[in-house]
Amino acid sequence: MREAALRVLAVDDEEPALEELLFRLREDPRVGSVQSAPEAGEALRRLDRARRERAGPDAADAIDVVFLDINMPGLDGLELAGLLAGFARPPLIVFVTAHEDFAVRAFDLKAVDYLLKPIRPERFSEAVRRVAELTRAGQGPGRPRALGEHVPVELGGITRFVGVADITYVEAQGDYARLHTRRGSHLVRIPLATLEEQWRPHGFVRIHRSHLVALGSIEELRLEAGNLTVKVGDRVLAVSRRNARELRDLLAVHAKGAVSGPR
């Protein structure tokens, strides 16, 4: 069965950048219809009007994804994304910007991707692929999206998204946090306290003022000379006294759940 083509709204106040984006979208076979708006206010009015007049994700004017610039006069792209998040059927968001500094905010707003200008063809294609997969999986307009599943990471001017499920532990480094996975580590400008609050429902626990650990990644719990440590991969991390009791309790619950399995 032929996959449904994506319905896209492109928003940018700079005409050359908007024309380039429209060209790329129209050339992509995964994209069916493309609309454009020269500023965020007009985009909001159009999306709000479609929301009020034509309920349902399958309506003719429904939008699957908004490719959205950030720096615009008046209402900016981040503010527009925040308003759209309040819709009952919010479209997916792909930010397109010349600035790297907004990646953390994009993470907070659950953006699907974050493209840097000038747009590289392979990154554009990857962004469309992500949108198409989410839409096909039922996470487009009107469907609930999984929250906080990826973290945007800057690597040589390219934004990659690291899966939270791949992160074994997090290390505080001032105002930054280093995300450790089995394959390496990534530095992001997100305070450890913020990650602790957002990822606690995903099985992460604070074991020290400097470390946040995924419960499922803990291989050993050691008590030596009154000092408690955990082994995560090839690292041994200290557990503070104030966090020891909670860690033991959470590990016991986690182990019980793993043994019992789903009923």
Side-chain angles (χ1 to χ4, degrees):
M1 185 173 64
R2 188 175 183 269
E3 295 178 7
L6 296 172
R7 299 161 296 184
V8 182
L9 174 62
V11 187
D12 199 315
D13 66 310
E14 297 182 356
E15 186 174 352
L18 181 58
E19 288 300 323
E20 179 190 355
L21 181 56
L22 291 173
F23 173 79
R24 291 184 182 276
L25 288 166
R26 288 166 179 157
E27 287 292 303
D28 196 299
R30 294 164 292 188
V31 175
S33 63
V34 184
Q35 302 179 41
S36 66
E39 47 97 14
E42 180 178 327
L44 178 60
R45 289 189 293 272
R46 187 178 303 178
L47 290 163
D48 186 54
R49 184 169 60 250
R51 174 179 66 91
R52 288 184 285 104
E53 294 179 357
R54 303 171 180 84
D58 298 322
D61 288 351
I63 295 294
D64 297 307
V65 58
V66 180
F67 279 71
L68 182 60
D69 186 25
I70 292 181
N71 276 348
M72 292 181 284
L75 188 71
D76 68 30
L78 293 169
E79 292 168 334
L80 174 59
L83 292 171
L84 295 178
F87 281 22
R89 299 181 175 91
L92 301 172
I93 299 292
V94 173
F95 284 112
V96 184
T97 177
H99 305 278
E100 300 180 7
D101 302 340
F102 301 112
V104 173
R105 291 284 305 279
F107 163 68
D108 291 338
L109 291 167
K110 317 303 179 222
V112 174
D113 211 334
Y114 190 90
L115 300 179
L116 290 174
K117 300 176 182 176
I119 302 172
R120 298 172 57 171
E122 64 271 21
R123 284 292 291 118
F124 175 81
S125 180
E126 172 67 12
V128 176
R129 183 192 66 78
R130 289 177 183 271
V131 172
E133 285 189 355
L134 287 172
T135 303
R136 186 167 58 249
Q139 295 188 41
R143 286 95 177 184
R145 268 182 274 170
L147 301 180
E149 291 185 347
H150 296 85
V151 184
V153 173
E154 294 295 330
L155 296 172
I158 299 175
T159 303
R160 302 293 186 190
F161 284 74
V162 176
V164 173
D166 296 327
I167 297 169
T168 56
Y169 73 97
V170 185
E171 181 181 5
Q173 295 187 353
D175 292 334
Y176 292 76
R178 183 166 293 281
L179 313 178
H180 292 265
T181 70
R182 302 290 183 187
R183 296 180 295 276
S185 67
H186 310 276
L187 192 65
V188 295
R189 192 169 185 175
I190 308 175
L192 194 67
T194 299
L195 295 178
E196 178 185 11
E197 179 182 353
Q198 294 184 355
W199 291 355
R200 187 178 181 85
H202 298 280
F204 283 79
V205 59
R206 188 76 165 259
I207 64 167
H208 189 274
R209 65 182 181 181
S210 300
H211 291 110
L212 187 67
V213 175
L215 287 171
S217 297
I218 296 176
E219 300 171 9
E220 295 178 4
L221 184 66
R222 303 174 180 175
L223 181 62
E224 298 176 349
N227 297 316
L228 190 65
T229 61
V230 293
K231 186 175 184 293
V232 179
D234 60 355
R235 289 292 306 274
V236 176
L237 306 174
V239 180
S240 68
R241 294 182 184 277
R242 63 177 297 182
N243 296 116
R245 176 67 177 273
E246 180 185 22
L247 175 63
R248 288 180 181 276
D249 291 345
L250 288 173
L251 280 173
V253 172
H254 182 78
K256 182 178 179 180
V259 172
S260 299
R263 293 181 179 273

